[in-house]
Amino acid sequence: MIKNLQIKAYERGLVFKNGNLIDILKEGSFWIFGNKSVEIYDMKTLFKTNVDLNLLLKNEGLKGMLEVVEVKDGEIVLVYENGIFKEVLNVGQYAFWKGVFNREFQKIDLTKVEITENISKTILENTKLKGFARKLVVTNQYKGLLLIDGKLNRVLEAGTYYFWNNEISIDVKAIDTRMQQMEIAGQELLTKDKAMLRINFYVRFQVENIVKALMENKEYDKQLYILMQLALREFVGALTLDELLVKKDSVGKEILQNLGNKAKDLGLKAADAGIRDVILTGEMKEIMNQVLIAEKKAQANTIMRREETASTRSLLNTAKLMEENEVLWKLKEMEYMEKIADKIGDITVSGNNNIVSQLKDIFAR
């Protein structure tokens, strides 16, 4: 039997006789005689055959034309053609024709978590590779703790991180590092003089040590709440009501000073604190109102007495001046006359007696 075959550019023909590779055909036209079979392969694609590849590679000619890649368990291989990522090879044996593309093969160890290979994020996001990588994101203004197999690995700053996908567990505990405010509202406290009152308090804090906050303490915010609550009770209990009202604006600063290193032990930095409201209970409010009324009445009486004294002193000074100065006396007479004239139509006076005395006699009738 005679056959004519045409081998095109970038093709190879493998000639078999009785299942054995006997020849390799390159580009050109060939006549095939006898009981022989020919398989034609495209050199631009992966070399695939039904014959055992290891048997074919015993042919030195074919072995020199192929680049063989073996992928073991726990591995993958990334294939690049002319510097462009093309595909991912899973476990198995693969062969590629040489001389068509400039191929590069990057072997990846999937048994480890960290991606130590030089692989761009664009390739890691490629659909062909996406199933082999895990993506973790720490958002802006946050920090995260990387836990690998339940153990602390390192602190992650804000950003996007990739890890190989395998049986090893990975977790990220993220925490907000911005300034936060905690309200400690409705605290019913007893002052040193047994006055019952209700206080609304606040504290502003920031996570300073994420490892202490998340790994060495459980629910750091609740612990801070209790610390501030106890510190507030201790501080208020050492002051009378009047002292507390006077020092109200400085209470927060003094409480933070007394708090000491307890906040640092939680991995926190307390920046500011203060009393927002001091609310008296019903009975105490009534008592304080009575005290306030009494104080205001006393102040009013003091002011009235002070004004009366000033008025009397002014009259006394005026009388002394009039006694010493005859012109001032005459002016005062004229002032009285002007005031009387405004209210009375006609007044008749005679004689050389003192006018003021005559007026006094008139109005005394």
Side-chain angles (χ1 to χ4, degrees), residues 328-344:
L328 185 61
W329 178 267
K330 293 295 182 181
L331 289 173
K332 199 67 176 174
E333 287 182 350
M334 294 175 68
E335 182 182 341
Y336 286 150
M337 289 292 294
E338 183 181 2
K339 290 181 179 179
I340 293 169
D342 286 338
K343 298 182 180 179
I344 299 175

Side-chain angles (χ1 to χ4, degrees), residues 136-249:
L136 298 174
V137 178
V138 179
T139 56
N140 192 29
Q141 304 294 345
Y142 278 72
K143 284 185 179 181
L145 293 182
L146 176 63
L147 304 177
I148 297 179
D149 236 0
K151 298 178 182 179
L152 176 63
N153 182 271
R154 66 179 186 273
V155 177
L156 300 179
E157 300 293 333
T160 303
Y161 299 86
Y162 295 88
F163 304 91
W164 293 125
N165 193 7
N166 51 34
E167 69 281 359
I168 300 174
S169 65
I170 294 180
D171 187 24
V172 172
K173 291 186 175 182
I175 192 169
D176 194 337
T177 58
R178 292 173 294 182
M179 190 68 70
Q180 303 178 55
Q181 182 162 308
M182 176 185 291
E183 297 289 338
I184 305 172
Q187 298 297 303
E188 293 190 354
L189 306 173
L190 199 63
T191 62
K192 185 178 180 180
D193 53 353
K194 309 305 180 185
M196 178 63 71
L197 46 83
R198 188 180 300 111
I199 290 180
N200 292 329
F201 193 77
Y202 77 92
V203 59
R204 294 174 69 243
F205 68 95
Q206 189 174 23
V207 177
E208 195 173 47
N209 189 325
I210 183 174
V211 177
K212 280 189 175 182
L214 293 181
M215 299 302 295
E216 299 179 14
N217 292 280
K218 183 179 180 181
E219 296 180 328
Y220 64 88
D221 50 344
K222 291 185 178 179
Q223 293 193 51
L224 178 63
Y225 184 94
I226 292 174
L227 283 177
M228 298 305 298
Q229 189 181 46
L230 294 175
L232 183 62
R233 287 182 181 277
E234 181 180 355
F235 187 83
V236 172
L239 299 175
T240 65
L241 178 58
D242 291 339
E243 290 171 342
L244 176 63
L245 294 176
V246 170
K247 300 178 67 175
K248 183 170 70 73
D249 295 334

Side-chain angles (χ1 to χ4, degrees), residues 10 28 38 63 73 86 91 96 118 131 164 168 183 208 252 256 284 301-302 323 333 341 352:
Y10 299 109
V38 179
K63 186 177 181 180
D73 289 332
K86 294 298 291 184
V91 177
F96 296 86
N118 184 21
W164 293 125
I168 300 174
E183 297 289 338
E208 195 173 47
L256 290 183
M284 182 56 63
N301 291 333
T302 301
E323 183 179 3
E333 287 182 350
N352 294 324

